[in-house]
Amino acid sequence: MNVSAPTGRVAMPLLGALSASKARLEAMSNALRLELAAWKIPVVVIEPGTTETEIFARAGAAADAAMQHADQERIGLYQAHLAAYEKAMDRFKPGPVDKVAEVIVRAVEARRPKRRYAVAEARTLGAILPKLPAGLRDRVLAGAVGLNGIKP
């Protein structure tokens, strides 16, 4: 079982490092699934949506600490982006952890588990957005996080 995120399949603006790490996990899971198939060992990816965990608070604290040591001129370049992103994120309500736990239990107990289990909005982000034409996908993502119309 590997717990990924929709950002592994759809890179999100301002979350490039997270998207890259989850894309790596997706690639590793896909390769491992093929490598272990001879022994009938399943490799399953659990893809929760935004979930009520401490990760967002910890990430915010780490970002604040990093900003204290960063060049203020460079931070200024992203000020509009950061403000728009924060405003957009205020609209999202993280889902309960128990929903993710239920899916993990279902996958573990399954006789023949699926390759991927998506939870909550991960179904939309991970399944629909990757199929959109790149330009449309970019506009949808930029709009979702409030980056449309930001001028340097």
Side-chain angles (χ1 to χ4, degrees), residues 12-14 78-92 137-151:
M12 293 292 291
L14 302 176
Y78 272 88
Q79 209 57 49
H81 290 75
L82 295 170
Y85 186 82
E86 187 174 324
K87 183 178 176 185
M89 291 303 103
D90 286 344
R91 292 190 311 249
F92 291 99
R137 183 179 59 240
D138 288 352
R139 287 189 301 279
V140 167
L141 289 172
V145 296
L147 299 183
N148 284 342
I150 290 180
K151 304 286 185 226

Side-chain angles (χ1 to χ4, degrees), residues 47-51 95-96 99-100 103 118-125:
E47 192 175 75
T50 308
T51 308
K99 294 289 184 198
V100 178
V103 171
V119 183
E121 82 271 7
R123 291 184 202 112
T124 303
L125 287 174

Side-chain angles (χ1 to χ4, degrees), residues 12-140:
M12 293 292 291
L14 302 176
L15 296 177
L18 175 64
S19 295
S21 71
K22 294 304 183 179
R24 179 206 131 319
L25 182 62
E26 294 277 341
M28 185 187 78
S29 297
N30 291 335
L32 195 57
R33 181 178 303 109
L34 297 172
E35 294 169 20
L36 298 176
W39 294 280
K40 298 193 180 350
I41 299 172
V43 175
V44 175
V45 173
I46 306 294
E47 192 175 75
T50 308
T51 308
E52 290 176 8
T53 66
E54 293 296 314
I55 193 168
F56 298 108
R58 280 191 257 158
D64 291 343
M67 295 269 212
Q68 299 300 317
H69 302 292
D71 179 344
Q72 293 303 307
E73 234 178 274
R74 289 186 181 178
I75 291 174
L77 294 173
Y78 272 88
Q79 209 57 49
H81 290 75
L82 295 170
Y85 186 82
E86 187 174 324
K87 183 178 176 185
M89 291 303 103
D90 286 344
R91 292 190 311 249
F92 291 99
K93 175 151 176 38
V97 173
D98 61 332
K99 294 289 184 198
V100 178
E102 289 170 13
V103 171
I104 291 172
V105 168
R106 187 172 0 127
V108 167
E109 292 178 343
R111 203 161 178 239
R112 291 175 35 183
K114 296 188 267 183
R115 291 176 177 94
R116 173 179 309 277
Y117 291 81
V119 183
E121 82 271 7
R123 291 184 202 112
T124 303
L125 287 174
I128 296 170
L129 287 177
K131 294 176 183 164
L132 294 177
L136 176 58
R137 183 179 59 240
D138 288 352
R139 287 189 301 279
V140 167

